[in-house]
Structure formats: C-alpha cells, structure tokens
C-alpha cells in the first residue's frame, strides 16, 4: 500500500513539473520584461547546468550507498582425499554478508548530506549569477543614458565648431576657443567609444551565459527601484537562510555522517551461510550440511584513526558554520550601511534636473557671447561627470540591495 502511495506522489510531482519546465523554456523564446532575461539566464547558465549534473551525480551516489553487498560463494574439490585416487571430496560454502555497526545507514546518510551540499552550492552560485546579471542590465540602461548625453554634447560641440569655421575672420580668443572645442569634440568621441566597448563586453557576457544573442530593448532594461526599500540596520543578524549558511549546515550534516561511517568501520562484516560437504569413496557417497562463518578479527585496529579524523572533521564543520554566520551578519551590516549611504546620496542629488534645464540656456548665452568658452565646456563636462557619479552610486546601491536579498535567502524570488 505504501509503495502505491509513493508511486502516486511521484507521478503527481512529475506531471506538475512538466508545465513549469515548458513555461521556463518559453521564457527564453520571448522576452517581455527584465525578469524574463534573468530567469532565462539562470535556466541556461553554465553554472546551473553543472550544478544540475552535480546533484544528479550525488543522487546516483545515494543509490550506490544504499546497495547491499552481494553474497559470496567459495568451493573446493580434492581428489584422492581418502588415500584412493578415485575418492573425491568437495565443499561448497555460501556466505551472506551482514554489515554490523550501521555501515549501510551511515553511507546513506553521508551520501544524502553530500547531495544537500551540492544543492546549496548550486543555489549560492546561481545567486551570484543573478547579482551579476541584475547589475549588468542596470548598467546597460545607464550606458544608454550616458551615450545620449554624449551625443547631445557632441552635437553642441559640432555646432559651435561650425559657427567658428563659418566666420571669415577669428580673433585670437576665438581661434583658441575653436581649438578647445575641437579637442572637446575628440574627447567626446573617445568617451563614447569607451562606453560602447563596455556595452559590447556586457552584451557578450550575457550571450555567454544564455547561449545566444539577447535583443536588448528599452523595455527589457530595468528601471531603478521606485521607491527604494528602506532597510534598518537592526536587520543585520537575519542570515539563517543565506545559501552559504545552508551549505555549511549541509557540510556539518555530511561530517556527522562521516563520523557515523567511521564508527561503523570499527565493526567487522559478518559473513554467514550454509555449508555443504560431500565425500565420494569407493563404498558410497557421504554428505554433511552445516553453517559457514567468516569475519574479520579486530586484533590490530578498530579504526581509531578514522574515528579521530572524522571527529575533527565534524568539529571543523561546526566551527565553519558558526564563523559563516558571524561573517554573514558582519557583511549584512556593512551592506546595509553602504546601501543607506548611497540611497541618501541619490535622494540628495537634486541638482541634476536643474542642470539639465540650464543646459540649453547656457548654450544660448555662449552663442550671444555672454559667457566664455571655458565655462561652456566646464558646464558640459560637469553634467556628464555628475551623471556618471550618480549612476555609480545607483549601481552600488542596487548591488548592495541584491546582496542583502541573498543574505536573507530570498534573492531568487525577488522581482527585477
């Protein structure tokens, strides 16, 4: 009855998983929002594929650990046993091994612990892939905005250079201004090239992870969080669901299972079974039936070295778990401080809108000869530099936010 119930549960789980798998595959066919790109990358990333195979390998290892040792048979035939060359003595012993000390249970527990380690490590790796993908998509959006600013500056510089060149005669100051704007024009080209190189590099990284070119459109690039979440510093200790903590817990469980295996190895494996002996002298055939018994004799060692090594491994895994929890709490406190600091900077950066409004007005003042060329150039450079600094603060805040999500164990459930 229990077997039928288990079979029904397995079939239900299998049927339930099939539509989900199809849905995941469809996500990679049509991208409608930034979350689709993230899910597709997590599905196709090499790290995910390696992790899946590693889990399957440990699942197979669990089946191997559950295997029972095969029975053994030995036989011998002796000719001339009774002093006559026609006499035949034969003996057959069949042994069934009995593993004492919980050997099989220890092996199974250790294999399960190693599988849990593989599952936790896969999640940890995918979280890092997700953070890199999120920051890449946000940076691609920022690059487009910065390229737009450079294009506007480039057009302005070209327009001013054309004005100077169309004049029949230039004063020394105007000739110097012409050279300065030509240099600024070349500088904007170089900055634009650097941004496009960065964009190409990031798109190549996305292609490497997903396996094909992703058509990046404006709707597929995420916007900054609106509103930005408020994270109080008091939340720094909640790291129990961090994937690294889960990995350390699984490693501790595996180490405890290794201790059990080491203790069981101190017990011998008992081999017992039927024994049949036949003798065929000239007067007739005689047969005897009995029990055969074989086992190791623990005279030299009872695996004390293996037990001591396993105990130290268990102590190390326990210490590692506590240290990772402390490391996670300290890291979360740092990330919250960094996140709040960058969020404060972003909220106080109100000058961007005012500078953008003054942009055209400054160009008009320059063309009327009311402000010098140096002030005109410095204004454009300041606008671009301010935009880059603002984007860097925004990107640091986004990365800190998603790493906090990872420490809380909810990164893969967050929306982009």
């Amino acid at each position: 009855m229990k077997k039928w119930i288990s079979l029904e549960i397995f079939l239900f789980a299998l049927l339930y998983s099939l539509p989900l798998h199809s849905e995941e595959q469809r996500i990679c066919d049509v991208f409608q929002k930034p979350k689709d790109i993230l899910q597709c990358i997590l599905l196709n990333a090499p790290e995910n594929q390696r992790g899946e195979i590693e889990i399957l390998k440990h699942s197979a290892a669990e089946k191997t650990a559950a295997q029972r040792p095969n029975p053994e048979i030995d036989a011998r035939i002796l000719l001339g046993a009774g002093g006559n060359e026609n006499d035949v003595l034969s003996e057959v012993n069949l042994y069934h091994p009995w593993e004492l000390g919980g050997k099989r249970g220890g092996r199974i527990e250790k294999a399960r612990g190693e599988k849990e380690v593989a599952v936790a490590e896969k999640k940890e790796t995918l979280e890092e892939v997700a953070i890199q993908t999120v920051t890449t998509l946000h940076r691609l959006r920022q690059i487009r905005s910065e390229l737009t600013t450079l294009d506007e500056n480039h057009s302005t510089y070209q327009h001013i250079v054309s004005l100077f060149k169309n004049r029949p005669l230039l004063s020394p100051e105007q000739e110097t201004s012409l050279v300065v704007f030509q240099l600024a024009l070349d500088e904007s080209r170089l900055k634009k090239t650097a941004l496009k190189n960065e964009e190409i590099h990031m798109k190549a990284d996305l292609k490497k992870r997903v396996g094909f070119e992703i058509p990046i459109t404006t709707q597929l690039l995420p916007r900054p969080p609106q509103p930005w979440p408020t994270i109080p510093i008091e939340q720094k200790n909640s790291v129990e669901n961090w994937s690294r903590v889960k990995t350390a817990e699984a490693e501790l469980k595996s180490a405890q299972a290794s201790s059990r295996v080491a203790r069981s190895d101190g017990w011998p494996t008992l081999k017992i079974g039927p024994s049949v002996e036949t003798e065929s002298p000239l007067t007739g055939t005689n047969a005897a039936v009995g029990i055969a018994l074989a086992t190791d004799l623990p005279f030299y060692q009872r695996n004390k070295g293996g037990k001591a090594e396993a105990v130290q491994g268990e102590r190390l895994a326990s210490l590692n778990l506590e240290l990772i929890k402390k490391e996670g709490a300290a890291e979360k406190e740092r990330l919250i401080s960094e996140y709040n600091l960058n969020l404060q900077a972003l909220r106080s950066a109100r000058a961007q809108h005012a500078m953008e409004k003054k942009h055209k007005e400054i160009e008009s003042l320059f063309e009327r000869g009311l402000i010098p060329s140096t002030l005109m150039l410095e204004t454009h450079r300041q606008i671009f530099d301010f935009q880059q600094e603002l984007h860097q603060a925004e990107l640091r805040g986004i990365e800190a936010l998603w790493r906090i999500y990872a420490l809380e164990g909810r990164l893969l459930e967050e929306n982009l």
Side-chain angles (χ1 to χ4, degrees), residues 12 23-25 41 99 106 127 131 136 154 185 218-219 233 236 255 270 273 288 307 351-352 362 395-396:
F12 177 80
E23 183 179 353
E24 288 176 343
Q25 293 293 341
I41 287 178
E99 296 182 295
E127 286 177 345
I131 292 173
T136 295
H154 190 86
L185 196 61
T218 303
Q219 68 176 8
I233 198 69
K236 62 180 181 297
L270 180 64
K307 293 176 187 176
Q352 182 187 18
I362 292 172
L395 206 60
R396 286 193 296 267

Side-chain angles (χ1 to χ4, degrees), residues 77-95:
I77 300 176
L78 300 176
L79 300 177
N84 190 308
E85 62 180 8
N86 293 321
D87 288 348
V88 179
L89 177 66
S90 62
E91 180 182 355
V92 178
N93 299 313
L94 178 65
Y95 297 103

Side-chain angles (χ1 to χ4, degrees), residues 34-317:
K35 184 72 172 180
D36 295 341
I37 296 180
L38 179 58
Q39 290 179 341
C40 181
I41 287 178
L42 291 178
L43 181 66
N44 291 280
E47 294 86 349
N48 181 52
Q49 298 178 36
R50 294 191 190 103
E52 286 290 340
I53 298 299
E54 189 71 20
I55 293 172
L56 291 175
K57 186 185 78 171
H58 285 288
S59 297
E62 186 177 347
K63 295 179 180 179
T64 302
Q67 292 177 162
R68 300 182 183 273
N70 289 320
E72 300 176 12
I73 187 171
D74 68 54
R76 63 175 185 162
I77 300 176
L78 300 176
L79 300 177
N84 190 308
E85 62 180 8
N86 293 321
D87 288 348
V88 179
L89 177 66
S90 62
E91 180 182 355
V92 178
N93 299 313
L94 178 65
Y95 297 103
H96 180 79
W98 295 90
E99 296 182 295
L100 304 180
K103 287 185 174 67
R104 180 171 176 270
R107 290 197 307 269
I108 294 173
E109 186 179 343
K110 187 174 187 302
R112 287 175 179 170
E114 291 175 348
K115 180 181 176 180
E116 290 181 12
V117 171
V119 172
E121 286 179 342
K122 177 196 167 187
K123 183 182 178 184
E124 183 179 349
T125 303
L126 287 183
E127 286 177 345
E128 190 61 34
V129 171
I131 292 173
Q132 293 175 5
T133 302
V134 168
T135 53
T136 295
L137 292 176
H138 278 284
R139 181 59 190 147
L140 286 172
R141 168 183 54 80
Q142 293 176 347
I143 288 175
R144 290 195 173 190
S145 176
E146 292 172 13
L147 285 173
T148 300
T149 301
L150 283 177
D151 286 339
E152 292 176 357
N153 291 350
H154 190 86
S155 298
T156 300
Y157 298 154
Q158 279 187 323
H159 174 65
I160 294 174
V161 168
S162 298
L163 290 178
F164 280 126
K165 287 184 175 181
N166 289 331
R167 293 179 182 179
L169 185 64
L170 297 177
S171 65
E173 181 181 353
Q174 290 174 332
E175 288 181 355
T176 303
S177 297
L178 174 59
V179 173
V180 169
F181 277 107
Q182 286 176 331
L183 290 174
L185 196 61
D186 293 336
E187 181 187 27
S188 68
R189 290 195 188 101
L190 291 174
K191 288 181 177 179
K192 188 174 181 179
T193 301
L195 286 176
K196 287 189 174 181
N197 285 334
E198 185 181 359
E199 183 180 37
I200 290 172
H201 179 75
M202 289 186 167
K203 287 183 177 179
D205 282 344
L206 293 178
K207 182 179 180 180
K208 180 175 64 177
R209 292 194 179 279
V210 80
F212 56 88
E213 189 78 33
I214 299 177
I216 301 296
T217 60
T218 303
Q219 68 176 8
L220 295 179
L221 295 177
R223 310 304 303 170
Q226 293 295 338
W228 287 76
T230 301
I231 305 178
I233 198 69
E234 291 77 12
Q235 294 184 5
K236 62 180 181 297
N237 292 320
S238 56
V239 295
E240 297 296 327
N241 294 321
W242 186 25
S243 56
R244 285 193 62 191
V245 172
K246 295 300 182 182
T247 301
E249 289 176 347
E251 288 174 345
L252 175 58
K253 184 177 179 180
S254 179
Q256 291 169 342
S258 296
S259 292
R260 180 179 173 184
V261 170
R263 290 192 300 269
S264 67
D265 285 342
W267 288 80
T269 297
L270 180 64
K271 301 176 182 178
I272 188 171
S275 177
V276 178
E277 182 179 290
T278 61
E279 183 179 1
S280 301
L282 294 176
T283 57
T285 300
N286 299 320
V289 178
I291 295 177
L293 179 67
T295 186
D296 299 330
L297 298 177
F299 288 163
Y300 300 133
Q301 54 87 15
R302 295 196 63 179
N303 200 33
K304 287 185 178 180
K307 293 176 187 176
E309 181 182 355
V311 167
Q312 296 305 318
E314 188 175 344
R315 289 182 59 191
L316 178 62

